[in-house]
Amino acid sequence: MVKKKTCVFISGQGSNLKNLIKRSRDSNFPITIKLVVTNNKNANGIMYAKKNSIPYFVLNTELRNYENHLFYVLNKYKISFICLAGYMKIISKKLISKFEKKIINIHPSLLPKYKGLNTFARILKNKEKKTGCTVHYVNEKLDGGGIIVKKCFPIVSSDNEKTLKIKTQKLEYKVLPEAIIRIFRNS
Ligand code: GRF
């Protein structure tokens, strides 16, 4: 199997990155992580890139020509697939069109419900009975691209934002690899 050369974009903890690095060691897993991109030079997740000798690139989105830097590194590492895992910046139209149907994102809700930020607080406020996570393609609409995999769990009365986050992330570690396997199943 020829593994897809993948770049993971992060902004914070990077626990999904850590999980993907682990999964990608399996020879049957369809991607290999060749690059990590972050907009946050203090992102904790950078440590997983360092520990695993994966090159990482800090994107200074304040720079007018930051996209040229981004395209340069994506090209340098021959990236053909992008996974957004806790990346807190909006992706540009140019990147989306260059990587059409080649960028996915993991979102901590059952899309199309609860797009955007502060999902857990809104879910609890609305007294939802269940929640979960969704992996979807990235298009120009925020959290709006085609859904690849979505899984849920029940919300219990003792749940709060912290427990929902823990439970959602635990599910994410299964759902994101499953979505990647599904995308490349027939390729
Ligand atoms: C995940 O819960 C994901 O759903 C959301 O951001 C979080 C990132 O967590 N988009 P981590 O950085 O992978 O630990």
Side-chain angles (χ1 to χ4, degrees):
M1 165 195 278
V2 182
K3 289 181 173 238
K4 302 283 170 211
K5 294 185 172 70
T6 299
C7 176
V8 181
F9 281 42
I10 61 165
S11 294
Q13 283 308 312
S15 64
N16 279 286
L17 167 66
K18 180 185 178 201
N19 183 52
L20 282 183
I21 293 172
K22 188 168 152 231
R23 291 297 305 266
S24 62
R25 289 200 194 105
D26 178 347
S27 59
N28 289 320
F29 197 67
I31 64 162
T32 172
I33 299 166
K34 290 288 185 194
L35 180 66
V36 171
V37 162
T38 182
N39 62 314
N40 172 12
K41 66 179 186 337
N42 299 316
N44 231 330
I46 292 175
M47 124 182 121
Y48 301 118
K50 286 184 180 165
K51 270 190 187 167
N52 291 280
S53 308
I54 297 169
Y56 67 93
F57 181 73
V58 179
L59 198 57
N60 182 354
T61 51
E62 307 283 294
L63 291 178
R64 195 174 42 86
N65 63 344
Y66 83 92
E67 277 212 304
N68 294 344
H69 298 280
L70 177 59
F71 289 126
Y72 173 79
V73 280
L74 293 174
N75 209 22
K76 180 174 171 192
Y77 292 98
K78 302 189 166 41
I79 299 302
S80 62
F81 186 65
I82 293 175
C83 181
L84 309 183
Y87 185 65
M88 304 305 284
K89 282 267 168 192
I90 301 284
I91 294 291
S92 74
K93 285 181 185 169
K94 199 170 159 192
L95 185 63
I96 293 169
S97 68
K98 281 210 175 199
F99 283 81
E100 210 193 339
K101 278 237 161 191
K102 300 280 187 302
I103 309 177
I104 62 168
N105 179 46
I106 177 129
H107 184 77
S109 78
L110 297 171
L111 289 174
K113 285 180 129 179
Y114 304 103
K115 295 176 179 177
L117 298 174
N118 302 319
T119 51
F120 304 124
R122 290 186 285 140
I123 287 163
L124 288 168
K125 193 172 170 220
N126 286 347
K127 301 197 182 331
E128 294 287 354
K129 297 269 178 290
K130 60 178 184 175
T131 186
C133 62
T134 309
V135 178
H136 63 95
Y137 287 108
V138 173
N139 66 10
E140 284 178 23
K141 294 189 185 123
L142 179 71
D143 300 324
I147 291 172
I148 304 154
V149 182
K150 167 160 83 169
K151 287 227 160 93
C152 68
F153 62 86
I155 298 176
V156 293
S157 59
S158 55
D159 272 324
N160 51 44
E161 285 185 47
K162 203 173 158 196
T163 61
L164 283 191
K165 182 175 176 184
I166 293 168
K167 291 178 187 180
T168 302
Q169 288 211 312
K170 202 170 160 212
L171 193 59
E172 288 181 352
Y173 306 147
K174 292 196 183 122
V175 170
L176 184 53
E178 187 181 320
I180 292 170
I181 290 169
R182 201 174 282 195
I183 290 167
F184 295 111
R185 197 164 35 197
N186 300 319
S187 67

